[in-house]
């Protein structure tokens, strides 16, 4: 298969010819403008195969380990939320576990998932969670535009995704060793996002959970 020697970043539109060694014999590019590492679209798996892999996930409401995992995003966000707000879990998965955790706190949260709950309501939300979703974005600019349009001014965007540290460690990084992961962010990428879409970064918890507020 013919490979282009460069690719256009799906976050900031800059062209990159800087390749990064990664797993699975996929081609990865690093954008030197926004620091996104992204998989060549020629190496994306099909939606059918992607759904098959998601169906293997056992993220159910009775799984205490999974609930503890989600609480890494929920707990630091709670001081910014209250029971008069309406939120959205963007990328909720099949079982809507995060919204159930918020319901226990008296906080209302709708759900959206590209495969399992594909209907988006015509609403403005006071907060949006997107946990373990950004790394799946084949077109992060388009997805962030969608999130921005859904979020009310002054609202909170809570993102959980692991961030890459160095090119040298990337090839063996477990997060890259998932065929459904195609976009990899670092801290500088989130500063780019905040500036581009006019947000403030309120919290950065261990370079994994980011709480942003829309200006």
């Amino acid at each position: 298969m013919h490979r282009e020697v460069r690719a256009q970043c799906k976050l900031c539109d800059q062209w990159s010819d800087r390749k990064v060694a990664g797993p699975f014999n996929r081609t990865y590019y690093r954008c030197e403008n926004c620091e996104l590492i992204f998989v060549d679209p020629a190496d994306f798996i099909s939606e059918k195969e992607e759904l098959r892999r998601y169906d293997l996930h056992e993220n159910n409401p009775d799984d205490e380990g999974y609930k503890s995992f989600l609480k890494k995003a929920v707990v630091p966000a709670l001081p910014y939320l209250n029971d008069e707000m309406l939120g959205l879990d963007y990328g909720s998965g099949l079982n809507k576990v995060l919204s159930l955790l918020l319901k226990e706190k008296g906080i209302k949260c709708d759900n959206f998932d590209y495969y399992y709950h594909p209907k988006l309501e015509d609403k403005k939300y006071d907060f949006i969670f997107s946990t373990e979703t950004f790394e799946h974005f084949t077109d992060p600019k388009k997805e962030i535009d969608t999130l921005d349009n859904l979020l009310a001014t002054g609202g909170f965007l809570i993102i959980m995704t692991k961030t890459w540290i160095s090119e040298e460690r990337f090839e063996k990084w477990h997060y890259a060793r998932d065929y459904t992961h195609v976009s990899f962010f670092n801290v500088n990428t989130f500063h780019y996002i905040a500036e581009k879409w006019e947000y403030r970064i309120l919290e950065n918890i261990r370079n994994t959970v980011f709480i942003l507020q829309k200006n």
Side-chain angles (χ1 to χ4, degrees):
M1 181 185 296
H2 173 70
R3 292 287 184 181
E4 296 292 338
V5 296
R6 62 180 189 150
Q8 189 173 24
C9 176
K10 285 290 190 175
L11 180 61
C12 72
D13 294 327
Q14 294 293 311
W15 287 89
S16 175
D17 58 4
R18 182 168 177 173
K19 294 183 179 180
V20 178
F24 303 138
N25 199 32
R26 299 195 292 186
T27 300
Y28 302 79
Y29 292 92
R30 174 181 174 178
C31 177
E32 296 188 77
N33 181 49
C34 70
E35 297 290 351
L36 184 76
I37 292 179
F38 57 98
V39 172
D40 188 314
D43 290 325
F44 290 170
I45 60 176
S46 68
E47 289 190 354
K48 181 178 180 180
E49 174 62 15
E50 186 174 41
L51 178 58
R52 187 190 72 79
R53 291 169 184 262
Y54 292 156
D55 284 340
L56 297 174
H57 294 176
E58 297 180 0
N59 300 332
N60 65 72
D62 300 320
D63 185 335
E64 293 299 326
Y66 183 58
K67 289 195 288 187
S68 294
F69 174 73
L70 290 178
K71 286 177 182 178
K72 293 178 181 179
V74 171
V75 170
L78 286 176
Y80 301 98
L81 311 181
N82 62 61
D83 59 9
E84 295 182 356
M85 292 179 168
L86 175 62
L88 176 68
D89 183 7
Y90 190 88
S92 63
L94 176 62
N95 293 311
K96 311 177 186 178
V97 178
L98 188 143
S99 64
L100 294 175
L101 291 174
L102 291 172
K103 185 178 180 181
E104 292 174 358
K105 302 293 184 181
I107 300 171
K108 299 179 290 295
C109 184
D110 291 344
N111 295 278
F112 169 79
D113 189 277
Y114 182 81
Y115 289 112
Y116 302 112
H117 308 287
K119 184 178 179 181
L120 266 176
E121 301 291 342
D122 184 19
K123 299 178 181 178
K124 286 288 187 181
Y125 290 97
D126 301 300
F127 64 87
I128 299 175
F129 279 86
S130 190
T131 62
E132 293 295 295
T133 302
F134 267 52
E135 63 274 12
H136 301 280
F137 289 164
T138 58
D139 191 341
K141 180 181 178 182
K142 179 181 176 182
E143 298 283 3
I144 294 171
D145 278 341
T146 297
L147 291 166
D148 184 58
N149 288 331
L150 289 165
L151 193 63
T153 300
F156 302 97
L157 177 59
I158 304 101
I159 301 158
M160 182 163 69
T161 188
K162 286 186 168 37
T163 51
W164 66 269
I165 304 299
S166 71
E167 288 189 17
E168 292 73 24
R169 296 167 61 180
F170 185 83
E171 187 171 11
K172 294 184 178 180
W173 186 33
H174 77 279
Y175 217 58
R177 304 186 71 81
D178 183 329
Y179 275 108
T180 66
H181 293 181
V182 295
S183 292
F184 306 93
F185 302 73
N186 74 7
V187 174
N188 290 332
T189 317
F190 281 106
H191 282 286
Y192 169 83
I193 290 169
E195 182 177 356
K196 169 73 175 178
W197 277 272
E198 298 184 0
Y199 284 69
R200 290 187 298 136
I201 298 177
L202 302 179
E203 305 267 3
N204 169 3
I205 298 97
R206 297 183 178 179
N207 295 337
T208 301
V209 175
F210 298 85
I211 300 176
L212 285 69
Q213 185 173 29
K214 183 175 180 177
N215 292 334

